[in-house]
Short mmCIF file of all heavy atoms in Angstrom, two decimals:
data_model
loop_
_atom_site.label_atom_id
_atom_site.label_comp_id
_atom_site.label_asym_id
_atom_site.label_seq_id
_atom_site.Cartn_x
_atom_site.Cartn_y
_atom_site.Cartn_z
N PHE B 124 35.43 62.94 214.13
CA PHE B 124 36.06 64.00 214.74
C PHE B 124 35.67 65.22 214.02
O PHE B 124 35.79 65.22 212.77
CB PHE B 124 37.57 63.90 214.88
CG PHE B 124 38.08 65.17 215.66
CD1 PHE B 124 38.23 65.13 217.01
CD2 PHE B 124 38.63 66.18 214.88
CE1 PHE B 124 38.80 66.29 217.72
CE2 PHE B 124 39.23 67.25 215.51
CZ PHE B 124 39.34 67.35 216.90
N SER B 125 35.27 66.32 214.71
CA SER B 125 35.08 67.60 214.07
C SER B 125 35.17 68.74 215.01
O SER B 125 34.92 68.62 216.16
CB SER B 125 33.65 67.68 213.36
OG SER B 125 32.67 67.58 214.41
N GLN B 126 35.79 69.88 214.58
CA GLN B 126 35.85 71.05 215.46
C GLN B 126 35.98 72.27 214.51
O GLN B 126 36.50 72.33 213.51
CB GLN B 126 37.28 70.87 216.20
CG GLN B 126 37.49 71.98 217.14
CD GLN B 126 38.73 71.76 218.02
OE1 GLN B 126 39.07 70.64 218.41
NE2 GLN B 126 39.32 72.87 218.47
N SER B 127 35.38 73.38 215.21
CA SER B 127 35.37 74.61 214.52
C SER B 127 36.57 75.45 215.00
O SER B 127 36.85 75.47 216.23
CB SER B 127 34.09 75.37 214.85
OG SER B 127 32.95 74.75 214.32
N LEU B 128 37.27 76.05 214.13
CA LEU B 128 38.48 76.91 214.50
C LEU B 128 38.23 78.36 214.14
O LEU B 128 37.55 78.69 213.11
CB LEU B 128 39.68 76.45 213.72
CG LEU B 128 39.99 74.94 213.83
CD1 LEU B 128 41.23 74.64 212.99
CD2 LEU B 128 40.22 74.47 215.22
N ASP B 129 38.70 79.24 215.03
CA ASP B 129 38.47 80.69 214.84
C ASP B 129 39.46 81.22 213.74
O ASP B 129 40.50 82.00 214.20
CB ASP B 129 38.67 81.46 216.23
CG ASP B 129 37.35 81.24 216.99
OD1 ASP B 129 36.30 81.36 216.47
OD2 ASP B 129 37.57 80.97 218.25
N PHE B 130 39.26 80.89 212.52
CA PHE B 130 40.09 81.42 211.53
C PHE B 130 39.26 81.35 210.19
O PHE B 130 38.53 80.39 209.96
CB PHE B 130 41.40 80.68 211.36
CG PHE B 130 42.24 81.11 210.15
CD1 PHE B 130 43.11 82.14 210.37
CD2 PHE B 130 42.21 80.60 208.92
CE1 PHE B 130 43.84 82.76 209.35
CE2 PHE B 130 42.92 81.05 207.93
CZ PHE B 130 43.88 82.11 208.05
N GLY B 131 39.42 82.34 209.36
CA GLY B 131 38.73 82.41 208.06
C GLY B 131 39.40 83.29 207.10
O GLY B 131 40.31 84.15 207.53
N GLY B 132 39.02 83.26 205.88
CA GLY B 132 39.58 84.05 204.85
C GLY B 132 39.31 85.53 205.13
O GLY B 132 40.10 86.43 204.68
N GLY B 133 38.25 85.82 205.82
CA GLY B 133 37.90 87.12 206.20
C GLY B 133 38.94 87.86 207.01
O GLY B 133 39.24 89.11 206.93
N GLN B 134 39.56 87.03 207.83
CA GLN B 134 40.81 87.56 208.74
C GLN B 134 41.92 88.03 207.88
O GLN B 134 42.54 89.11 208.16
CB GLN B 134 41.19 86.40 209.60
CG GLN B 134 42.25 86.83 210.62
CD GLN B 134 42.60 85.75 211.57
OE1 GLN B 134 41.68 84.96 212.03
NE2 GLN B 134 43.90 85.61 211.99
N LEU B 135 42.15 87.38 206.82
CA LEU B 135 43.23 87.62 205.83
C LEU B 135 42.81 89.00 205.12
O LEU B 135 43.66 89.91 204.91
CB LEU B 135 43.57 86.60 204.87
CG LEU B 135 44.00 85.30 205.49
CD1 LEU B 135 44.26 84.25 204.38
CD2 LEU B 135 45.23 85.54 206.38
N THR B 136 41.51 89.15 204.71
CA THR B 136 41.03 90.34 204.05
C THR B 136 41.18 91.50 204.88
O THR B 136 41.57 92.59 204.46
CB THR B 136 39.64 90.07 203.52
OG1 THR B 136 39.56 88.85 202.68
CG2 THR B 136 39.09 91.23 202.68
N ASP B 137 40.79 91.33 206.13
CA ASP B 137 40.78 92.40 207.10
C ASP B 137 42.23 92.91 207.35
O ASP B 137 42.46 94.17 207.56
CB ASP B 137 40.20 92.03 208.49
CG ASP B 137 38.69 91.88 208.40
OD1 ASP B 137 38.06 92.38 207.45
OD2 ASP B 137 38.11 91.22 209.29
N ALA B 138 43.17 91.92 207.31
CA ALA B 138 44.55 92.29 207.53
C ALA B 138 45.14 93.19 206.37
O ALA B 138 45.88 94.12 206.64
CB ALA B 138 45.41 91.02 207.59
N ILE B 139 44.62 92.80 205.17
CA ILE B 139 45.09 93.67 204.02
C ILE B 139 44.46 95.10 204.09
O ILE B 139 45.21 96.09 203.96
CB ILE B 139 44.51 92.99 202.70
CG1 ILE B 139 45.27 91.72 202.48
CG2 ILE B 139 44.75 93.95 201.50
CD1 ILE B 139 44.75 90.88 201.31
N LEU B 140 43.22 95.17 204.47
CA LEU B 140 42.56 96.58 204.66
C LEU B 140 43.26 97.32 205.66
O LEU B 140 43.55 98.55 205.53
CB LEU B 140 41.06 96.36 204.99
CG LEU B 140 40.14 95.73 203.97
CD1 LEU B 140 38.87 95.40 204.53
CD2 LEU B 140 39.96 96.80 202.81
N GLU B 141 43.57 96.78 206.85
CA GLU B 141 44.31 97.44 207.92
C GLU B 141 45.67 97.83 207.55
O GLU B 141 46.07 99.06 207.88
CB GLU B 141 44.36 96.54 209.17
CG GLU B 141 44.94 97.21 210.39
CD GLU B 141 44.07 98.41 210.86
OE1 GLU B 141 42.86 98.38 210.65
OE2 GLU B 141 44.66 99.34 211.51
#
Side-chain angles (χ1 to χ4, degrees):
F124 179 87
S125 64
Q126 184 172 330
S127 298
L128 307 177
D129 283 316
F130 179 84
Q134 182 176 324
L135 300 178
T136 305
D137 289 342
I139 293 175
L140 290 169
E141 185 60 31

